[in-house]
Amino acid sequence: MITVSHRHTQRGFSLVELMISMLLGVMLMAGAASVYLSSKRSFVEVEQVAAITENARFAEQIVADSLRHVGFFGEVTAGRVDLAANLTTPAGDCTGAGALAGAAQAYNLDFPVFAARATGANVIGCIDDAVPGSDVLVIKHAVPQAYTDGPRGAADPNDPTHNDGVIDSPTGLLGTRTYVMTNNIRGLVFDGADPAPTIVTGGDIPDGVAWEYQFDVYYVSRDCAECVPYLSRKFLGWDGGGMAVLGEQVAEGVERLRLRFGFDSDDDGEVDLYRDPANLTTADEWASVVSVEIFMLLRSSTRDEQFTDTKTYDLPGDVNPYDPAGDDEKFRRLLSQTSLSLRNIQLIIRGDA
């Protein structure tokens, strides 16, 4: 019997083959790492740009919605609105700036719109955390929601709640709000916690309609040098014991707020020139403001060490453009601009012309 033996020879990688394999592996790993890092940088950039854009849109909308109602005080103009005798100054009330002390007071209706530039953390008497170099915008108006004695235009002689002299539609008045009671002749600002002006025939405001009064102050705040800046707001609210000027943060990342005001010099309701807030020095000049340009410089909330901001940003009122340096150059930024006409003021000016 013949036995056939098969001999198999086993061979490993040669040193050259091993080194080539290792080189190819390193190249593949380096490529994968490069793709990952590039994707991560791209994701961070897209995420930060999207966040800045959304914050800019939200901040502009908040300020613009408030500005659109400047000059609205129900059925009369601000010049025909008085303050109730028992209306008290809210706690922490604002004042003003320079020669216009009192212009920013919550119930000073001679200045439905007013602005000042912060030279330090303390400005207009009610702000202690402002970013120097940014503007402070003060807005006063009535909210366009009427509160009446029963449904207007639907008088029913069999309805005992209609024409009973009590505001009850769509709801009654709240003790935690301030209101303006108006008819087509005059108005009266009063605290909802106090007795409302009488609206019956021969009363304080016959056939009166109530409107909630709103007071807003927008500015840029920062709690510390390393903290994220915010667009913040002071507003008129209830502090548990009475009306007070309270505060809140509105939009993240707003680094600068600058304003220019369209000024009507010939009382035709149209803009003749734009002025910096410092160049409007009297109540009459502020009453002739018919438009506002809003400039906001926003930055990302976090640093990106892979990014360097090489741009400069030109804002109204600056002698030199803002140039990020040092740690500030590691934040992405967006400069937004919007213009808004103050339609109520324009109509008032044209009506008086």
Side-chain angles (χ1 to χ4, degrees):
M1 184 175 182
I2 300 174
T3 302
V4 179
S5 175
H6 297 280
R7 190 172 183 178
H8 299 281
T9 302
Q10 296 183 349
R11 297 180 58 200
F13 289 107
S14 68
L15 180 60
V16 173
E17 291 173 330
L18 179 60
M19 292 180 67
I20 292 174
S21 299
M22 291 177 63
L23 177 61
L24 291 174
V26 169
M27 292 175 63
L28 289 173
M29 291 178 64
S34 177
V35 170
Y36 169 76
L37 292 175
S38 177
S39 299
K40 183 178 180 180
R41 283 196 295 270
S42 178
F43 173 78
V44 169
E45 179 180 356
V46 170
E47 186 179 50
Q48 289 188 347
V49 171
I52 298 171
T53 304
E54 181 62 26
N55 288 340
R57 185 182 298 112
F58 179 72
E60 286 180 353
Q61 179 180 340
I62 290 293
V63 177
D65 284 349
S66 188
L67 273 171
R68 285 190 181 95
H69 298 114
V70 165
F72 176 76
F73 290 95
E75 297 164 299
V76 295
T77 61
R80 295 186 179 183
V81 179
D82 299 316
L83 306 182
N86 55 355
L87 183 68
T88 58
T89 301
D93 197 10
C94 304
T95 54
L100 296 178
Q105 289 176 340
Y107 299 140
N108 185 349
L109 302 188
D110 290 335
F111 294 85
V113 62
F114 174 72
R117 185 153 298 161
T119 57
N122 295 285
V123 60
I124 67 170
C126 59
I127 296 172
D128 60 7
D129 59 348
V131 171
S134 284
D135 287 343
V136 177
L137 176 63
V138 181
I139 303 170
K140 307 164 193 175
H141 64 86
V143 178
Q145 165 65 63
Y147 294 83
T148 67
D149 176 10
R152 302 191 76 186
D156 181 356
N158 298 317
D159 182 2
T161 66
H162 187 76
N163 289 336
D164 62 354
V166 178
I167 298 294
D168 56 11
S169 178
T171 65
L173 303 182
L174 301 176
T176 56
R177 299 288 188 272
T178 299
Y179 296 92
V180 185
M181 188 76 77
T182 68
N183 55 22
N184 58 2
I185 299 174
R186 64 184 294 254
L188 199 64
V189 179
F190 66 99
D191 194 327
D194 296 330
T198 55
I199 59 175
V200 296
T201 301
D204 300 317
I205 309 290
D207 196 27
V209 176
W211 314 81
E212 185 179 340
Y213 178 74
Q214 188 163 334
F215 168 75
D216 294 315
V217 180
Y218 294 98
Y219 68 102
V220 176
S221 69
R222 178 180 274 170
D223 295 333
C224 64
E226 296 77 25
C227 296
V228 177
Y230 277 84
L231 177 69
S232 293
R233 179 175 78 114
K234 295 288 185 179
F235 62 97
L236 196 61
W238 183 260
D239 69 351
M243 299 305 295
V245 175
L246 309 177
E248 65 179 359
Q249 293 176 331
V250 176
E252 184 182 61
V254 180
E255 197 169 34
R256 294 282 191 280
L257 170 65
R258 287 289 177 83
L259 305 164
R260 286 199 309 181
F261 293 91
F263 179 74
D264 174 21
S265 61
D266 55 8
D267 295 331
D268 64 353
E270 299 296 333
V271 175
D272 298 312
L273 68 158
Y274 280 90
R275 286 187 173 181
D276 191 79
N279 295 325
L280 297 168
T281 59
T282 68
D284 288 341
E285 288 179 334
W286 279 105
S288 296
V289 168
V290 294
S291 71
V292 184
E293 285 187 331
I294 306 169
F295 299 82
M296 291 187 191
L297 179 63
L298 294 94
R299 50 155 261 199
S300 56
S301 59
T302 57
R303 294 161 50 88
D304 184 354
E305 298 298 341
Q306 304 299 320
F307 170 78
T308 300
D309 189 357
T310 59
K311 301 178 183 177
T312 58
Y313 301 89
D314 195 3
L315 292 128
D318 279 344
V319 176
N320 298 309
Y322 173 65
D323 185 6
D327 289 343
D328 283 345
E329 68 186 11
K330 295 302 180 180
F331 294 94
R332 286 185 172 82
R333 285 177 173 80
L334 171 69
L335 179 60
S336 74
Q337 175 186 358
T338 185
S339 298
L340 190 70
S341 295
L342 307 183
R343 300 297 299 168
N344 294 312
I345 303 298
Q346 288 178 317
L347 292 173
I348 291 170
I349 292 175
R350 290 168 181 168
D352 290 340

